[in-house]
Each structure stands twice: as C-alpha cells, then as structure tokens.
C-alpha cells in the first residue's frame, strides 16, 4: 500500500469515524477477536488528554517530569451495538476480569473466548467501575 492510498484504507477499515471503542455506561456486548497489546499512557490534567509513553529510558518527557504512566490495553472486538469491528482501548480492570473469566470452570478459554461477553460500566470519571463481565446469554459464532 502507498501512503497516498490513505483514504481508501480509511474507508475500508472504518478509520476516522470516532477512534477507539470504549465501554459506554450500562451493558456493552462484544465479541473479542484478538489478544491484547499493552502500552503506557500519561494523563495530563492541564491538557485534558493522554499521551503515549515512549518509556523513561527513551526520553519520555512525562516520565522525566515524574508523571507515572498507566497501562492501557488494545484489542479488536465486534461491537454488537452496531456490528462493527473496532479497536478497543481499556484499562487493567477489564483485562483482569476477562482473565478471571478465562480461568473459571464454567467459561474457561485459553486465548480468546468463542462467545460474546457483556462488560457493564457504572459511574463516571474517577467513580467509574466495570463489573460482572460474563458470557452473553446467546452463544454466537463469528
């Protein structure tokens, strides 16, 4: 592919229409399509945004200013709300619950679950909680 084909790629992969998927308040039913990748992120309050951490050893200015990075996780999902494939960005609490689900006797999976999961979100800002991640009632194959 050539850089000049960026518009064709964006249209094909639905890029530029809202960014990353993040859970909305309430129940979010998704099918997980991939394992996750982890990266560091710095929240800068005065800018009201986050920045990717390149690592203190690589000269990250936010690390050098004493701003500790937080882990963020990326993985592909199908958002059952609209049926679109999206790149999910989440925190550790969701990854931990998915890991526990994968180890459970009832819903065990080794790599990627072969069923939909429901991620419930309550609260906002610092009061946000994610809980009761569980298998969706209807088992659908991709």
């Amino acid at each position: 592919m050539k850089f000049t084909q960026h518009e064709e790629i964006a249209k094909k992969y639905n890029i530029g229409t809202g960014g990353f998927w993040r859970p909305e308040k309430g129940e979010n039913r998704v099918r997980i399509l991939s394992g996750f990748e982890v990266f560091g992120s710095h929240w800068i309050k005065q800018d009201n945004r986050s920045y990717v951490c390149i690592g203190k050893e690589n000269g990250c200015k936010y690390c050098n200013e004493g701003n500790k990075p937080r882990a963020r996780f990326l993985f592909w999902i199908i958002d059952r709300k609209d049926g679109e494939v999206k790149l999910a960005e989440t925190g550790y609490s969701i990854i931990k619950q998915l890991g526990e689900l994968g180890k459970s006797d009832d819903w065990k999976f080794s790599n990627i679950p072969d069923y939909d999961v429901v991620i419930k979100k309550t609260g906002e800002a610092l009061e946000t909680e994610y809980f009761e991640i569980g298998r969706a009632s209807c088992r659908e194959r991709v």
Side-chain angles (χ1 to χ4, degrees):
M1 301 290 325
K2 298 177 183 177
F3 286 106
T4 56
Q5 294 174 293
H6 65 91
E7 291 171 336
E8 175 187 333
I9 294 166
K11 185 176 181 181
K12 179 178 178 181
Y13 292 100
N14 199 25
I15 298 171
T17 58
F20 298 106
W21 174 88
R22 291 183 180 93
E24 296 177 359
K25 200 169 190 177
E27 290 191 358
N28 297 267
R29 185 174 172 197
V30 299
R31 173 65 60 96
I32 299 171
L33 300 175
S34 71
F36 65 82
E37 292 293 328
V38 63
F39 69 97
S41 177
H42 295 279
W43 175 256
I44 307 302
K45 188 175 183 175
Q46 55 270 34
D47 294 351
N48 196 32
R49 64 167 287 192
S50 62
Y51 296 89
V52 172
C53 177
I54 61 170
K56 190 171 187 172
E57 67 281 0
N58 294 319
C60 176
K61 77 177 201 171
Y62 305 108
C63 285
N64 289 329
E65 293 170 355
N67 185 313
K68 186 177 176 182
R70 63 185 178 140
R72 301 299 295 163
F73 300 84
L74 297 174
F75 52 98
W76 291 101
I77 58 122
I78 298 174
D79 183 354
R80 293 300 189 193
K81 183 176 180 180
D82 59 14
E84 296 288 327
V85 174
K86 299 176 181 175
L87 187 59
E89 180 184 346
T90 70
Y92 177 69
S93 63
I94 290 176
I95 296 300
K96 180 180 177 185
Q97 290 184 49
L98 286 168
E100 292 302 317
L101 186 68
K103 293 189 296 187
S104 74
D105 289 336
D106 292 330
W107 313 115
K108 189 175 287 187
F109 62 88
S110 60
N111 187 20
I112 299 167
D114 66 346
Y115 49 83
D116 286 359
V117 294
V118 175
I119 301 169
K120 294 183 182 179
K121 178 182 175 181
T122 62
E124 294 182 27
L126 296 176
E127 302 297 318
T128 301
E129 291 184 347
Y130 300 98
F131 63 97
E132 294 183 26
I133 295 181
R135 182 176 164 172
S137 59
C138 177
R139 189 174 183 141
E140 295 181 20
R141 298 257 177 217
V142 174

